[in-house]
Structure formats: structure tokens, C-alpha cells
Amino acid sequence: MMRLRQIALVTPELRGVEREVCDQLGLEVCYRDPGLSHFGLRHGLYPIGNQLLEIVAPKHPDTTAGRFIERRGGEGGYMVLLQTDDLDQHKRRLEQDGIRIVHDGKVTERNASIQGIHLHPKDVGGAILSLDKADPKESWLWAGQDWQYHSLNGIVKGIVAVDIQAVDPVEMAKRWANAIGRPANESVIELDDAKIRFVEAIDGRGDGLTAADLVATDRNRAGETLRVCGFQFKFCLLYTSDADDE
């Protein structure tokens, strides 16, 4: 299994971006992790169906997020979190391939647990990539215990694709394919529930996570776009056979 469960954006100031995202996409805050203060971050998490959007903001410039904003010349896409059911197997494969793990964290609460590894950005490129295992599979403790209660579907109800721009999209697609353990076909990696597309960087900001396709609850809104936090959200219809269930 390899699913897209969460994407994160980064901005210098959380409040304004959070307000705009929640208003325009019909989302609400489900969780704020006090532990992120240790990393010099403020953040919010917002469910979209059974996936999540996160927005992080550095409390001071001398943080990974702060340096990321400076390096990319402003706010934008920051992180991609993928869910797998065999994290140990991926850790062994990554070690054999020489891909470095820079963070390995685990949370256990009551009858649930989650573990995630962050891969070294220089070994992958474009965004921080995290591989995560949740038990039970439908849980996601990075967002607390009751995040599903806050999952609204009035405007959007799922994330089905993300775009990562690169100076050399083909080369970056190969690096991500190697890190994930899934093949890249014409600069696209197919996950179980979404696509990761690698596109040419044309905005002068270099490599980075730039856009996401969100399933529109109102089919008539497919094709609309929203730009916020230096990131583009594109409303679309489901790409898979699940569209028959709408």
C-alpha cells in the first residue's frame, strides 16, 4: 500500500492563510500539535475527506521551515506524507539505496499508533517526503484522535494529485520513484489513491511542491482554481472508477 494521506504548506504567518484556506475550501481545524513548538513551528491540520492538509509557520527564521521559505523566495508547498503498511521494509530498502532518514518519530495513544520517517531533502528533492505507517490503517495520530469529526465535504472531499515542479522533472521523478518504491511513468508516479506529477519549473522559484487536485463536491465547480499560500488548488472530478460511486 502507498497512499497520499497528507500534504503541508509553509507560510511566514499562519492566521491569514488558515482563514483563507478554511473559507475557500470549506475546511476547519482539527488539531494543533503542541509538540511542534519544539521544532520552532506553529501549525494547523484540516481534514479533506480521509486525507489532510497542513499549514506550518516558523516561530523564528532559524528553523527548517524558515530556511525553506528563504531558499524558495516565499511561501508554498512544503511536505508530502505517504501512508504505507510496511514501513520496516521501506527502511531496509532506503538504507540499501543510500537514501538518508533525517527523522524517525512515533506516537502511541490508547489503541492507536503512528510512525513516520522523513527522508533527506537532498536525496529526494522538491519537498520533504515522509513515509508513515498508521495502526489502525484508518487512523492518523499526527492529526489527533478525533480529526474525522472535523472532516467536512461541502466544497472538496479528497486530494487526488499533487504537482512537483523541477528543473529536470524526469530526473526528479526517478529520485522519488526510488524513494517510494513505485515506478515513474512519463514523470508520473501512481499511488493507490492519487498521482504525483513532476512538471517543468517555469516560475523562477526552482524545485518545489506547487499544486494539488481536489475532488469538487459540486461537479459543476470542476476546473476552478484557487491560489493561496503560493500554492494552486485545482478543483476536479475523481480520476478513478470511484467516480461511479458519486
Side-chain angles (χ1 to χ4, degrees), residues 172-224:
M172 185 170 287
K174 291 178 181 177
R175 291 162 65 186
W176 276 69
N178 194 34
I180 295 172
R182 289 283 179 101
N185 182 17
E186 296 184 356
S187 298
V188 176
I189 297 175
E190 296 276 356
L191 305 175
D192 293 350
D193 61 346
K195 301 176 182 179
I196 304 176
R197 300 182 298 231
F198 299 86
V199 300
E200 185 178 357
I202 58 174
D203 61 3
R205 298 185 64 191
D207 300 345
L209 175 65
T210 59
D213 290 9
L214 307 182
V215 180
T217 302
D218 180 354
R219 299 173 65 93
N220 293 321
R221 297 195 64 180
E224 293 185 17

Side-chain angles (χ1 to χ4, degrees), residues 7-238:
I7 61 172
L9 313 181
V10 62
T11 182
E13 175 53 48
L14 179 62
R15 285 191 181 91
V17 171
E18 177 174 272
R19 188 179 305 114
E20 185 174 5
V21 163
C22 288
D23 287 348
Q24 295 295 323
L25 298 180
L27 310 180
E28 69 179 20
V29 181
C30 70
Y31 190 62
R32 301 193 197 277
D33 184 355
L36 283 193
S37 181
H38 174 73
F39 297 99
L41 295 174
R42 297 182 177 92
H43 86 133
L45 280 156
Y46 324 90
I48 302 176
N50 59 17
Q51 299 156 302
L52 291 112
L53 170 67
E54 181 182 18
I55 301 172
V56 302
K59 296 172 68 174
H60 48 80
D62 189 24
T63 62
T64 300
R67 290 188 292 271
F68 185 92
I69 291 172
E70 183 177 358
R71 183 170 65 253
R72 290 216 71 222
E75 60 191 0
Y78 183 58
M79 192 170 181
V80 176
L81 291 83
L82 305 182
Q83 182 180 1
T84 178
D85 53 4
D86 192 347
L87 190 59
D88 289 338
Q89 183 269 333
H90 286 290
K91 290 170 76 170
R92 291 191 295 269
R93 179 180 54 77
L94 291 165
E95 183 179 5
Q96 292 172 357
D97 291 342
I99 299 175
R100 293 167 288 179
I101 296 171
V102 295
H103 176 72
D104 189 340
K106 185 173 184 178
V107 173
T108 301
E109 293 182 7
R110 287 184 274 177
N111 296 319
S113 67
I114 191 166
Q115 182 178 4
I117 55 173
H118 297 180
L119 309 188
H120 199 297
K122 290 185 178 179
D123 295 343
V124 181
I128 298 173
L129 172 60
S130 179
L131 302 181
D132 302 75
K133 179 182 179 181
D135 185 20
K137 292 179 180 180
E138 65 273 12
S139 67
W140 197 250
L141 281 184
W142 303 140
Q145 288 276 2
D146 65 345
W147 61 269
Q148 290 144 318
Y149 172 79
H150 301 275
S151 183
L152 309 178
N153 63 358
I155 298 177
V156 293
K157 55 184 180 180
I159 310 171
V160 291
V162 293
D163 290 351
I164 299 176
Q165 72 174 26
V167 175
D168 187 341
V170 174
E171 174 58 29
M172 185 170 287
K174 291 178 181 177
R175 291 162 65 186
W176 276 69
N178 194 34
I180 295 172
R182 289 283 179 101
N185 182 17
E186 296 184 356
S187 298
V188 176
I189 297 175
E190 296 276 356
L191 305 175
D192 293 350
D193 61 346
K195 301 176 182 179
I196 304 176
R197 300 182 298 231
F198 299 86
V199 300
E200 185 178 357
I202 58 174
D203 61 3
R205 298 185 64 191
D207 300 345
L209 175 65
T210 59
D213 290 9
L214 307 182
V215 180
T217 302
D218 180 354
R219 299 173 65 93
N220 293 321
R221 297 195 64 180
E224 293 185 17
T225 62
L226 169 68
R227 188 163 185 84
V228 60
C229 194
F231 192 82
Q232 186 176 54
F233 295 100
K234 299 177 284 187
F235 289 15
C236 69
L237 303 178
L238 279 175

